[in-house]
Amino acid sequence: MKPVRPQFVPEPGLDREEMLALQRELTAAAVFEDDLSFSPAEVALVEPVQSRGPNRSGDHTLASFSKGDSLTLEGDTLASNGDAFADVDPGGPPVVAGVDQAFIDDRAISAVVLLQGRDVVGWAHAVSEPPIPYVPGLLAFREGGPIVDALATLAVEPDLLVFDGSGRIHFREAGLATHVGVVFDCPAVGVAKSLLCGTPDEPTDGRPEGWSTPIRVGADDDVTAPEGTVIGYAYQSRQYDGEPRINPLYVSPGHRASAETARELVAALSAGYKLPEPTRLADRFADELKGKLANDT
DNA sequence: GCGACAG
DNA sequence: ATCTTGTCGC
């Protein structure tokens, strides 16, 4: 896929004010309403993808992303591979991309896994040097570039992008999911493991599986959206029966999805683990790449 | 000035 | 994000 709005690609070398300015422009282009070509029910998963047997084509194994995953090191963005897409079913369920990152010293590994229903139909990755350190509110300028590079190698257009990080739950409503979603003008949702900003309607501790509560802009919250706006949801994707101790997920719209739909999509994509399958698999993929990269270098 | 803050 | 053993439970 190609960036539809290259002017918003997070390039290195910007100072803080320029990054903030870019985020404000980006937010104006973001759509926090449903503009999807499918419904959450169409991406519903019942069981974890990795526990299934050989898929339709029979040669993908999630335990080792073994098909076409050789690493090629060249240039600043050192590697990417957008191959292995022969298995996409044109008439099948929506294609969902999960995106995550891992780090080794001063290198960032961006990993993308493509899911169509319960089939892994492709993956891609990019290795690069993070332009800036982690700064709350500026994550897209640290991880966004390599992610765009990896996504750009995809031979098919995903119907949905799922990120590990916030979307609209962000000081300027311009989290990683929103930023990259707008760059590709692709429906996107953000899935964070902790809350960046905003206020839950109710306390989130010890909630049962399936529970959720809105995240709103409170009077004391430093968020550009009007007070009272629902910018996301706390969603309990998994919980233990006995002593509840799993924290909820913080789901928010990235682009072209409402907060409610973002929550429903994440619920439909969850299959027994805390993280929804796309993000969980991307996380595993990133770890695997990290291991291979640690040796070779 | 102090605090709080995705990954 | 990353550094990491054992441990409780299905």
Side-chain angles (χ1 to χ4, degrees):
Chain A
M1 64 190 308
K2 293 298 171 210
V4 174
R5 297 178 171 117
Q7 71 271 31
F8 292 137
V9 173
E11 304 288 0
L14 303 179
D15 63 36
R16 183 183 176 85
E17 286 311 314
E18 292 171 325
M19 291 189 275
L20 299 183
L22 183 58
Q23 287 186 331
R24 286 188 288 263
E25 294 175 40
L26 185 111
T27 303
V31 174
F32 300 127
E33 299 171 358
D34 289 337
D35 184 14
L36 305 165
S37 58
F38 60 95
S39 68
E42 295 177 63
V43 299
L45 295 166
V46 180
E47 60 182 282
V49 171
Q50 76 178 74
S51 70
R52 82 199 191 298
N55 64 12
R56 189 176 65 251
S57 57
D59 59 357
H60 287 333
T61 312
L62 281 178
S64 61
F65 296 77
S66 55
K67 182 178 177 183
D69 62 350
S70 61
L71 304 178
T72 313
L73 307 179
E74 51 182 327
D76 191 14
T77 291
L78 297 170
S80 64
N81 58 339
D83 45 14
F85 302 112
D87 302 327
V88 174
D89 177 359
V95 175
V96 182
V99 183
D100 190 27
Q101 294 220 327
F103 295 84
I104 316 176
D105 300 321
D106 56 352
R107 285 175 301 174
I109 301 146
S110 303
V112 178
V113 173
L114 281 186
L115 281 181
Q116 184 176 35
R118 296 170 66 247
D119 295 323
V120 174
V121 295
W123 51 87
H125 73 276
V127 180
S128 62
E129 289 192 9
I132 61 172
Y134 167 70
V135 178
L138 298 179
L139 185 64
F141 292 93
R142 172 175 169 80
E143 307 189 344
I147 289 174
V148 168
D149 290 340
L151 287 172
T153 69
L154 295 177
V156 291
E157 293 283 326
D159 296 294
L160 175 69
L161 269 24
V162 182
F163 295 88
D164 69 313
S166 290
R168 196 182 188 184
I169 296 180
H170 180 277
F171 310 119
R172 293 162 295 281
E173 304 175 82
L176 179 66
T178 300
H179 200 134
V180 180
V182 167
V183 164
F184 289 100
D185 193 23
C186 181
V189 302
V191 181
K193 293 181 289 297
S194 59
L195 188 58
L196 176 62
C197 59
T199 307
D201 274 8
E202 310 171 58
T204 61
D205 294 327
R207 299 300 187 172
E209 213 165 284
W211 177 90
S212 71
T213 197
I215 304 294
R216 292 177 196 276
V217 179
D220 299 324
D221 291 322
D222 181 26
V223 180
T224 51
E227 182 178 342
T229 304
V230 176
I231 53 178
Y233 277 88
Y235 170 64
Q236 195 74 46
S237 57
R238 190 189 180 191
Q239 188 55 280
Y240 298 137
D241 294 322
E243 182 75 3
R245 48 182 172 182
I246 301 180
N247 297 319
L249 255 23
Y250 296 93
V251 181
S252 60
H255 182 48
R256 294 171 58 174
S258 66
E260 292 71 23
T261 298
R263 174 176 51 67
E264 286 165 13
L265 286 168
V266 171
L269 289 166
S270 297
Y273 291 86
K274 175 170 179 172
L275 296 179
E277 291 302 285
T279 292
R280 187 178 70 82
L281 295 173
D283 184 77
R284 279 184 81 318
F285 185 31
D287 270 349
E288 188 154 322
L289 289 168
K290 179 178 172 179
K292 291 186 178 182
L293 206 54
N295 290 323
D296 196 71
T297 306

